[in-house]
Amino acid sequence: MRMSSLLSQTLREAPSDAEIASHKLLVRAGYIRQLAAGIFTSMPLAKRSLTKIENIMRDEMNKIGGQEMSMPVVHPAEIWQATGRWWKVGPEMGRFKDRNGRDMVLAMTHEEAVVAVVKDEVQSYRQLPMMVYHIQTKWRDDPRPRAGLIRVREFTMKDSYSLDRDWEGLDIQYANHYQAYFNIFGRCKLPVIAVKSDVGMMGGNMAHEYMYITPVGEDTLLLCDKCGYSANRQIAEFQKTKPHQETPLDREKIATPGMKTIAELAEFLDIPESKTAKAVFMVAAKQTEGGEVEQLVFAIVRGDMDLNETKLVNALGAKSLRPAVDEEIKAAGAVPGYASPVGLKDIVVVVDDLIPESPNLVAGANQEGYHFKNVNYGRDYKADIVTDIAAAGDGDACPNCGAAMRAVRGVEVGNIFKLGTWYSEAVGATYQDADGTEKPIVMGSYGIGSGRLLASIAEEYHDEYGLIMPVTVAPYEVHLVELSGGKQDSEKVGEVAEQLYQDLTAAGIEVLFDDRDESPGVKFNDADLIGIPLRLTVGGRSLQNGGVEAKLRHEKEKSLLLLDEVIDRTQAILNGLYKEIEGSLKTVELES
RNA sequence: CGGGGUGUGGCGCAGUUGGAAGCGCGCCGCGUUUGGGACGCGGAGGUCGACGGUUCAAGUCCGUCCACCCCGACCA
């Protein structure tokens, strides 16, 4: 490709609305342009990188038996109604009516589309196991797109779906994906870790998220450096230190004027936060026979801990959870800021399992300006559910080995999920087994967003001058720069560069040829910005030395390639880069 | 949805007490220059986010709306 005709302009300054490095650089280097909030155009450079990323995905999916297909972006509402998600999902789902007034859906994911087709196509156990995948556009009307390509509304995703007779079959396909995903990220040179994640209400017994660790990430993870335990904060467990046992003292009402937060209360009474009980009111939505029902929930964790809403949802078997508003709290007979578990009605009380172990806590008195001292679980109140609903944080003890865990931020670049039979049962996607009985297909779903992956790579590989793309995903392999503007040998420089462009291309090497009439500084700076791994420079100076200058983007040193060796040497350098990446792939163990 | 911020040429920005819209980069032409974002001269390009109001006069003041960014809520 000749840069003189490339649809991409580099920018000396990043648009003011870009904040993180990958966003700024991808825009400055001319890879992407924003069309609206969370909606981006992939310019030719980005498109080439994305195609490479997607071809790596194809390759790894094919290796584990995947069949590529393509499912529609626009779905009839019926298939989403069949699984109930038409009602379950809120405004995040894009909906519209076609000309005949039929409700239509913009695909946010393709479980519905898969089961819709599989339902009719798969009838016998003889057809299973099977794995299909596609690379397709999704629309999720996220309330807050951010960070360039990291979090967008319209995006492309590789999603695969495994279909099995039984859970044992799913285990195999899940393990295949677990490894394949490490291969994909490895071939993109992106360091990731797999962490256990929430399986939610869809059943299943396992889900992993592939996380790229970076401060710009929006998920919080807990990692144990000692034993390797890792989990999304949503489900992370931890060992809770049991407090000293004390004799339960008499309950006592004390005046605590204006003390509405735990911090204020602890300060006021001069006690540690761990001697208080934190009350959190939530409203849980539950699906019942008669439709959706809301239930006020009173959750209690110790004052020094935070409520983990995911754990609470799972404990309740609820569909979703939202903070209660003051009116709802008052209606239940509680006083916001001074709420007490003592003496409430019509409310589900969920208590963290550390609370019964913690004697003589300070809790609200259900009266403005008053708290109770020495509240004891069992004696003063009882819960409907006692379980772990506290959020793990930095420094908490690892559930496996007890070492202090680290809390880090990460971007979720992929996930794998044992769906089980939730979808297949919902739509009647069944097969006839060898014994003649009809059984639901056991499914798994597995996704990787290609744009988010590109952004993560850009985030990981850049310096103050620009991007440093790994060879496997760089838009081109070689950036050929000709400096024919000089007095010295200017005609010859142009000829050699032109010939080299032809020869390299003929040798199957992907070349971006900077044939523009620009000064050397401009060309070098643009090359650094775009971040193609190998730069070849043809100039009067290099010709005097008998060849062209080679420089790897990630190294400082330059070397001279003799003219008649350029093709071979270039190929050798590139092969080295590819081998380094392929050689870094590892076999991973999936713990059961 | 709550809090904060920003909307002026492709990008970055200035625009005072209201008085005929500017700068840098980029773009076009001519010339000089040519190994790390060169220089001179001459140009093109803007319904100042939209609508309404106040005023002799609005980029500037008032109102409503919209878009985009950041924090939070949310996130199959």
Side-chain angles (χ1 to χ4, degrees):
Chain A
M1 182 69 207
R2 291 170 193 275
M3 269 184 87
S4 56
S5 51
L6 182 69
L7 175 62
S8 270
Q9 217 181 351
T10 55
L11 300 178
R12 201 178 289 218
E13 290 181 271
S16 57
D17 54 14
E19 294 239 324
I20 67 167
S22 63
H23 186 194
K24 285 182 185 168
L25 290 173
L26 286 170
V27 172
R28 282 191 57 208
Y31 281 62
I32 58 171
R33 293 290 183 254
Q34 183 167 343
L35 184 62
I39 305 177
F40 286 84
T41 296
S42 297
M43 302 293 275
L45 290 176
K47 182 60 186 169
R48 288 184 64 97
S49 282
L50 290 168
T51 300
K52 289 188 175 185
I53 287 170
E54 287 162 6
N55 284 338
I56 290 171
M57 295 174 181
R58 285 191 173 92
D59 190 47
E60 293 294 334
M61 288 297 103
N62 293 341
K63 273 192 205 163
I64 58 170
Q67 309 178 48
E68 183 168 9
M69 62 192 298
S70 183
M71 289 179 275
V73 182
V74 175
H75 301 172
E78 286 82 65
I79 67 170
W80 288 81
Q81 288 163 352
T83 60
R85 287 162 107 187
W86 170 260
W87 298 284
K88 189 182 164 197
V89 180
E92 200 184 353
M93 179 185 283
R95 304 163 210 251
F96 66 97
K97 288 184 193 295
D98 71 8
R99 64 196 302 160
N100 295 317
R102 291 181 210 282
D103 284 317
M104 308 298 281
V105 171
L106 291 175
M108 340 178 34
T109 173
H110 282 78
E111 280 85 9
E112 277 76 4
V114 165
V115 292
V117 69
V118 159
K119 181 178 186 293
D120 296 335
E121 299 298 324
V122 174
Q123 290 119 14
S124 159
Y125 73 96
R126 294 172 197 273
Q127 293 167 278
L128 302 174
M130 195 181 282
M131 194 270 271
V132 296
Y133 72 95
H134 75 336
I135 297 172
Q136 183 61 283
T137 301
K138 321 279 176 193
W139 171 261
R140 293 179 195 176
D141 198 354
D142 199 291
R144 192 155 101 76
R146 53 176 288 272
L149 289 190
I150 298 280
R151 190 180 174 109
V152 292
R153 297 192 292 168
E154 194 218 69
F155 59 100
T156 303
M157 183 177 221
K158 186 289 301 174
D159 42 328
S160 41
Y161 302 91
S162 62
L163 311 170
D164 282 281
R165 291 171 73 175
D166 49 32
W167 285 87
E168 289 70 33
L170 171 58
D171 289 345
I172 294 168
Q173 299 226 50
Y174 189 87
N176 288 345
H177 273 89
Y178 187 80
Q179 174 71 55
Y181 271 32
F182 274 107
N183 294 347
I184 290 168
F185 296 119
R187 289 172 69 178
C188 293
K189 218 179 166 184
L190 187 73
V192 298
I193 61 168
V195 304
K196 290 200 182 98
S197 69
D198 181 35
V199 292
M201 63 171 292
M202 278 179 236
N205 60 1
M206 193 176 274
H208 284 87
E209 291 170 343
Y210 289 76
M211 307 293 309
Y212 160 56
I213 306 296
T214 167
V216 307
E218 51 196 347
D219 283 333
T220 300
L221 314 175
L222 285 142
L223 309 178
C224 175
D225 293 326
K226 195 171 167 205
C227 74
Y229 175 83
S230 60
N232 193 307
R233 189 174 193 221
Q234 290 184 323
I235 62 152
E237 296 165 23
F238 62 109
Q239 290 181 23
K240 296 168 187 167
T241 344
K242 291 200 167 101
H244 292 297
Q245 290 309 300
E246 301 169 7
T247 318
L249 303 173
D250 287 343
R251 201 169 83 206
E252 193 183 329
K253 190 187 275 188
I254 47 172
T256 51
M259 302 297 135
K260 289 198 167 189
T261 68
I262 294 290
E264 287 166 357
L265 183 66
E267 165 105 34
F268 179 75
L269 297 173
D270 194 26
I271 54 170
E273 293 188 351
S274 59
K275 291 297 285 180
T276 68
K278 182 186 287 183
V280 186
F281 286 91
M282 306 294 288
V283 175
K286 278 189 170 178
Q287 197 69 44
T288 65
E289 301 277 319
E292 198 176 310
V293 178
E294 289 205 323
Q295 168 71 56
L296 189 61
V297 177
F298 185 23
I300 304 166
V301 294
R302 228 173 51 183
D304 55 330
M305 296 180 174
D306 288 327
L307 172 68
N308 180 322
E309 292 184 21
T310 306
K311 287 181 180 178
L312 181 57
V313 166
N314 292 340
L316 292 163
K319 187 174 111 165
S320 64
L321 209 56
R322 63 171 172 84
V325 296
D326 281 2
E327 289 70 48
E328 290 168 320
I329 298 172
K330 286 175 188 155
V335 180
Y338 298 93
S340 174
V342 183
L344 285 185
K345 55 182 193 302
D346 295 333
I347 190 164
V348 175
V349 179
V350 185
V351 159
D352 184 61
D353 54 11
L354 188 58
I355 292 287
E357 312 274 353
S358 305
N360 302 326
L361 297 178
V362 173
N366 263 344
Q367 188 180 337
E368 183 81 27
Y370 289 91
H371 280 80
F372 282 131
K373 262 173 83 171
N374 304 324
V375 172
N376 286 281
Y377 180 81
R379 182 191 71 185
D380 299 316
Y381 67 101
K382 285 214 171 97
D384 299 288
I385 304 172
V386 179
T387 187
D388 173 31
I389 55 166
D394 193 58
D396 280 339
C398 171
N400 291 343
C401 72
M405 295 188 288
R406 271 190 304 139
V408 298
R409 306 273 282 179
V411 173
E412 182 188 345
V413 287
N415 64 38
I416 57 179
F417 200 121
K418 289 186 182 177
L419 293 177
T421 55
W422 196 90
Y423 287 94
S424 44
E425 280 175 11
V427 304
T430 57
Y431 69 95
Q432 196 170 22
D433 210 345
D435 61 8
T437 59
E438 198 158 306
K439 293 179 181 170
I441 298 171
V442 181
M443 296 178 58
S445 92
Y446 317 85
I448 300 180
S450 33
R452 180 178 281 190
L453 180 47
L454 175 63
S456 297
I457 295 165
E459 195 63 38
E460 178 71 7
Y461 296 106
H462 69 269
D463 61 15
E464 57 183 306
Y465 303 107
L467 299 167
I468 308 173
M469 298 298 283
V471 68
T472 45
V473 296
Y476 293 89
E477 297 168 307
V478 169
H479 195 126
L480 178 63
V481 175
E482 64 106 318
L483 304 177
S484 64
K487 280 183 186 146
Q488 232 177 14
D489 297 327
S490 69
E491 215 166 285
K492 188 166 178 216
V493 167
E495 280 167 24
V496 169
E498 181 68 35
Q499 190 61 48
L500 210 49
Y501 175 53
Q502 307 284 350
D503 293 348
L504 286 164
T505 304
I509 296 169
E510 299 167 359
V511 184
L512 181 61
F513 179 26
D514 194 345
D515 59 336
R516 299 173 303 167
D517 182 19
E518 289 288 352
S519 71
V522 171
K523 292 189 174 191
F524 289 140
N525 278 301
D526 281 351
D528 287 346
L529 196 50
I530 293 169
I532 290 165
L534 177 61
R535 188 183 81 196
L536 296 180
T537 306
V538 186
R541 189 192 288 175
S542 77
L543 289 184
Q544 292 263 303
N545 294 329
V548 307
E549 177 196 279
K551 181 185 172 299
L552 289 169
R553 176 65 180 86
H554 67 278
E555 286 180 357
K556 271 205 126 59
E557 301 76 44
K558 299 161 183 168
S559 60
L560 189 79
L561 309 184
L562 296 178
L563 267 191
D564 53 3
E565 297 176 1
V566 175
I567 307 293
D568 288 348
R569 292 283 302 278
T570 298
Q571 241 148 8
I573 293 169
L574 292 175
N575 283 341
L577 294 176
Y578 281 109
K579 278 207 180 110
E580 189 194 325
I581 290 175
E582 300 287 342
S584 69
L585 301 184
K586 289 192 179 72
T587 305
V588 290
E589 195 82 8
L590 171 60
E591 49 174 304
S592 49

